[in-house]
Amino acid sequence: MATQSDNPKYGNLPLETTAFIGRARQTDEVLEAFGTARLVTLTGPGGIGKTRIALRAAARTAPGFAQGAWLVELSPVLSPDLLEHTVAGVLGVADQTNRPLIDVLSDYLRERELLLVLDTCEHLVEECAELARTLLAAAPGLRILATSRQALGIPDEHRVAVGPMDTGPEGEAPALLRARAWPDDHEPEQAEQAELARLCDLLDGVPLAIELAAGLLRATSVDHLVHRLDERMNVLSSNAGAEPPVTDDGLDEGLDDCVPSLHRPVRHSGLRTTIGWSHEWCTPQERLLWARLSVFPGSFDTRAVDFVCSSEPLADCDLTEVLHGLVAKSVLLREGPPQESRYRLLDTVREYGAEWLDRLGESDRLRLRHRDYYRLLAHRGEQEWIGPDQAQWQARTATELPNLRAALATCLATEPDTALEMASDLVYFWFCCGHLREGRHYTEAALALAPDRPRGTARALWSCGMVAVGQGDLEAATRLTAEARTLAEKYDDEPALAGALCVHASALTLQGAPDQALPLYAAAHEQAARTGPRIIELISLPVWGYAHMMLGDADGVRARVDRLKELTSPIGEMWAGAYADYVWGNQCIAQGNPAEAIAPLCSSLEAKCHLDDLYGIAVTLDSLALAAAGDRRPELAARIFGLVDRAWNILGTPHLGSPEMTEHRHTCESAVRAALPPEAFTTLYAEGADSPSIHKGVTDLLQTLDTP
């Protein structure tokens, strides 16, 4: 999604893709309210335009905040447990330790000045109120702009009520209708202007209703639309509960036995009437697809639509054509470039489709279809992660996260075995792409439902243990892998045994016991090479090599690094392969050749940045600082210290809790401080720490080092 600034320091507000019409008074009221209030909530019914006003107000006030304005879209967040995760994800707070996330967010925001836009709070009102109360108390430079159908109800909240647009001939509503229906400066005649005002009046001046009507005006005249809508509302008000009159427009043919009209109960608002009438103008196929699409909490692509929605009576339809029909009628929004188009329903339109789906008796079946598609997507990602497409899988999984969350929730509610499988399949995303908190949340939830299943429990235990290692929770990792090993041996689950052995060895290495870890690495790698999983076959090698390095065994390090390169280079694998460069760079430092370490460490850093692997970036930066200091480049080392400390501040547990890594850092920093004047160290450190983003800082660093 395009944003108003390419610099993440200033936020993530989306670019306006259509002209902003009217609403100057409400926008100004929000801006004026922030002069005295720290929480402003835009309230009003669905479709009234709260989000659009919030984004316009946020864009105008963002330059006044040192860290800009950040939009948190809460509509796809179905579980209250994920509210803090979602906010942290938007802000880039990647702390994955076991600290309460609300504490992490409070600490992160304490010294920052930014505007947080919480959009669509009504289904999480109590949780959003508590979040706002806590964060505002902790962070004096924070302001919050919320949109909700009801106020959050906390002290000092300033509420801005958003009502209908002015429907008079010169009002905002007709101006919006003209702009959306005729974007090419169409000038309606006087009589047509009166009809436009009449139409907007029938629509109660509700912006979403007007947007939908604009879509209908591309297929009919204004006077016909006014006549039909007036007729519909008169019938609904005078004949409550009756079926709508039979029309002669051909829209009630074909699939009507399968997709009956939905006009009960009576619609008492222009928006509900317009949504219902927009529904009536859809073809039967479009109506049914609209209902089925309501199971997607976020955006979706055509592949998902084909799998989830294509059962009878849509099995023989060209669903892409049906999607385009819904886009043309403004029911569905299309986002992204044509070759990568994604679609989404606005909240109120989704709610209408969900009501219809429930009346059709398809809700449970469609939720299971949705679950199965994203379960299979997670499994495919796990199968293809070890290969050349890791960057694409990282991006695709991140984009599909709202749908994956919904599918995991359905798994937890329906099939414990499936929940175990899906949570474990996503370990590539949880561990390799830095989503450790969520990974542990879902895996532990699945384990609580299925503590001893022959199929899946041992695998979920070692996956959870791997996540715990990433969190620096080495005690939990040891406990989880011991349980995994017991169950793997009980059920003769050889792949799970390999995973348990590798993760246990990793915990031992980080705890400073590499001699105890070596035989476990050997057994894990041998087992994984025979039976899988591939991720264990590969990741066992760099940590095994690191253990050899800790013991001063250069030949052992070289053997593991060379073997990892042999396995990863031919298949274009980057994530594990980058750790070969990382380990070899550290070996060069250990052997007293810091200058030789810089090239492999930069190669590792570039790959980790490409995959958004913040943990990989942080540990590699730590080693690069050691190499720079050893190469008598204290200025470079001081700058790297600033950047890496920012990364660890985001992640939460410096050096993964490893005493050895922490000691190396302290020794190195003391040497660098001794080599530089205090003011020079402070300036260079701030240069790294104040980079607009970790990725920008890494990019600038690599350019400085003249590394491709």
Side-chain angles (χ1 to χ4, degrees):
M1 178 176 64
T3 61
Q4 292 183 358
S5 173
D6 292 331
N7 188 342
K9 181 178 180 180
Y10 298 112
N12 68 335
L13 299 181
L15 288 169
E16 289 184 347
T17 56
T18 56
F20 187 81
I21 307 295
R23 298 303 202 181
R25 180 182 61 80
Q26 292 89 345
T27 303
D28 289 342
E29 186 176 348
V30 171
L31 298 177
E32 291 170 8
F34 275 126
T36 56
R38 297 179 60 209
L39 168 64
V40 178
T41 304
L42 290 159
T43 61
I48 205 68
K50 301 182 295 296
T51 297
R52 196 70 190 269
I53 296 169
L55 292 177
R56 169 51 67 101
R60 286 178 57 182
T61 194
F65 292 92
Q67 281 76 41
W70 296 84
L71 170 65
V72 183
E73 295 179 297
L74 297 178
S75 176
V77 181
L78 304 182
S79 169
D81 293 340
L82 296 177
L83 172 60
E84 293 167 8
H85 288 280
T86 304
V87 175
V90 167
L91 293 176
V93 181
D95 185 307
Q96 302 293 348
T97 66
N98 277 332
R99 292 176 62 207
L101 190 49
I102 189 64
D103 293 346
V104 174
L105 285 169
S106 296
D107 288 346
Y108 177 81
L109 292 169
R110 197 175 308 279
E111 303 299 327
R112 288 175 165 81
E113 296 180 2
L114 61 83
L115 174 66
L116 192 63
V117 183
L118 301 177
D119 185 38
T120 314
C121 298
E122 54 265 14
H123 61 305
L124 300 168
V125 168
E126 292 182 5
E127 292 79 12
C128 287
E130 182 60 29
L131 177 80
R133 184 185 297 110
T134 303
L135 295 183
L136 289 170
L142 174 68
R143 299 293 184 272
I144 296 177
L145 176 57
T147 73
S148 179
R149 296 182 190 180
Q150 68 180 88
L152 301 189
I154 66 175
D156 301 322
E157 175 185 20
H158 184 101
R159 177 182 171 186
V160 176
V162 181
M165 286 181 143
D166 178 6
T167 60
E170 303 301 322
E172 297 173 337
L176 176 63
L177 183 59
R178 288 194 298 270
R180 297 295 184 262
W182 302 290
D184 299 325
D185 298 324
H186 170 77
E187 280 294 334
E189 297 179 358
Q190 192 70 29
E192 192 177 28
Q193 288 181 357
E195 287 293 276
L196 287 174
R198 168 64 176 153
L199 177 57
C200 291
D201 190 52
L202 288 170
L203 299 175
D204 294 336
V206 176
L208 177 56
I210 292 168
E211 299 264 5
L212 291 169
L216 298 176
L217 282 175
R218 298 169 195 142
T220 189
S221 64
V222 179
D223 59 343
H224 180 63
L225 192 57
V226 169
H227 173 74
R228 292 288 305 279
L229 184 58
D230 197 15
E231 178 184 69
R232 168 62 60 211
M233 295 183 76
N234 287 335
V235 168
L236 290 173
S237 62
S238 63
N239 193 22
E243 287 294 333
V246 176
T247 63
D248 58 1
D249 53 18
L251 295 173
D252 297 320
E253 300 175 0
L255 299 184
D256 277 356
D257 290 340
C258 301
V259 282
S261 296
L262 243 176
H263 299 284
R264 299 188 301 264
V266 176
R267 309 305 180 198
H268 294 292
S269 74
L271 175 59
R272 296 288 294 186
T273 302
T274 308
I275 294 177
W277 199 45
S278 295
H279 175 270
E280 186 175 326
W281 273 63
C282 291
T283 67
Q285 291 90 346
E286 290 168 350
R287 296 176 199 167
L288 183 54
L289 185 59
W290 177 352
R292 290 179 175 179
L293 293 175
S294 68
V295 299
F296 293 97
S299 65
F300 46 86
D301 60 22
T302 55
R303 291 169 292 189
V305 174
D306 286 340
F307 185 97
V308 176
C309 304
S310 62
S311 59
E312 292 295 345
L314 296 180
D316 297 327
C317 292
D318 181 349
L319 291 187
T320 300
E321 184 177 332
V322 182
L323 284 171
H324 291 168
L326 290 172
V327 170
K329 295 177 175 67
S330 300
V331 171
L332 200 59
L333 302 181
R334 180 163 51 199
E335 303 171 333
Q339 64 275 18
E340 300 174 8
S341 287
R342 294 185 66 82
Y343 303 85
R344 67 181 176 93
L345 294 165
L346 293 175
D347 295 340
T348 310
V349 176
R350 183 189 299 111
E351 290 169 7
Y352 188 89
E355 291 175 15
W356 189 20
L357 191 68
D358 191 54
R359 292 195 177 200
L360 292 172
E362 287 199 343
S363 296
D364 290 342
R365 184 178 68 82
L366 264 292
R367 273 194 292 270
L368 293 179
R369 291 290 294 173
H370 179 274
R371 175 204 67 185
D372 289 344
Y373 177 78
Y374 287 100
R375 175 177 62 83
L376 292 171
L377 181 67
H379 184 67
R380 183 181 165 201
E382 187 268 341
Q383 293 289 303
E384 297 185 12
W385 176 252
I386 303 301
D389 299 324
Q390 288 176 331
Q392 291 90 325
W393 273 109
Q394 183 275 331
R396 184 176 182 187
T397 308
T399 299
E400 296 289 9
L401 189 54
N403 287 304
L404 290 164
R405 288 169 172 166
L408 280 161
T410 305
C411 287
L412 290 168
T414 56
E415 293 184 6
D417 283 338
T418 303
L420 284 172
E421 179 185 17
M422 185 173 179
S424 300
D425 278 341
L426 285 167
V427 71
Y428 76 90
F429 188 65
W430 310 139
F431 183 75
C432 304
C433 304
H435 294 262
L436 301 172
R437 280 184 181 270
E438 268 195 81
R440 192 157 177 186
H441 166 77
Y442 283 115
T443 310
E444 287 183 342
L447 285 166
L449 293 174
D452 185 359
R453 297 284 179 126
R455 183 175 67 85
T457 300
R459 180 182 177 220
L461 283 165
W462 75 251
S463 297
C464 196
M466 180 179 281
V467 167
V469 166
Q471 292 179 305
D473 191 354
L474 304 181
E475 182 179 343
T478 301
R479 172 180 53 80
L480 289 162
T481 52
E483 295 176 26
R485 186 170 180 177
T486 298
L487 284 179
E489 291 171 347
K490 175 181 177 181
Y491 294 119
D492 196 26
D493 188 343
E494 293 181 330
L497 180 60
L501 291 171
C502 180
V503 176
H504 186 197
S506 300
L508 287 171
T509 302
L510 291 171
Q511 287 168 329
D515 53 332
Q516 299 177 41
L518 290 183
L520 299 182
Y521 284 127
H525 180 73
E526 180 183 356
Q527 181 65 59
R530 288 190 290 108
T531 64
R534 289 295 308 281
I535 195 171
I536 294 299
E537 180 187 6
L538 297 187
I539 196 56
S540 61
L541 289 166
V543 285
W544 189 3
Y546 198 90
H548 277 291
M549 185 191 69
M550 291 173 68
L551 294 168
D553 180 6
D555 291 339
V557 177
R558 180 82 264 178
R560 309 309 161 219
V561 168
D562 287 348
R563 179 57 180 157
L564 186 55
K565 288 288 189 180
E566 290 174 5
L567 291 173
T568 58
S569 296
I571 61 174
E573 197 278 345
M574 283 194 300
W575 178 78
Y579 280 118
D581 290 323
Y582 166 76
V583 171
W584 187 247
N586 279 277
Q587 179 61 26
C588 291
I589 296 170
Q591 290 179 321
N593 300 314
E596 295 180 18
I598 291 177
L601 289 174
C602 286
S603 177
S604 177
L605 192 58
E606 186 175 23
K608 293 303 180 184
C609 198
H610 193 54
L611 293 172
D612 202 26
D613 178 4
L614 190 55
Y615 272 96
I617 291 170
V619 296
T620 306
L621 283 171
D622 265 339
S623 297
L624 191 58
L626 295 177
D631 195 32
R632 299 182 181 180
R633 301 169 73 175
E635 295 86 357
L636 177 60
R639 179 180 165 194
I640 296 172
F641 284 149
L643 184 59
V644 73
D645 281 356
R646 179 173 174 182
W648 285 122
N649 183 47
I650 293 172
L651 290 166
T653 303
H655 324 300
L656 298 179
S658 167
E660 183 188 49
M661 291 182 180
T662 301
E663 182 181 352
H664 285 328
R665 164 59 190 270
H666 288 162
T667 301
C668 178
E669 184 174 336
S670 296
V672 170
R673 285 181 178 273
L676 293 171
E679 62 276 10
F681 181 91
T682 300
T683 299
L684 291 163
Y685 182 95
E687 184 180 333
D690 292 341
S691 181
S693 70
I694 300 297
H695 285 71
K696 182 65 166 61
V698 169
T699 300
D700 291 345
L701 181 65
L702 292 173
Q703 290 176 347
T704 299
L705 292 166
D706 195 26
T707 301

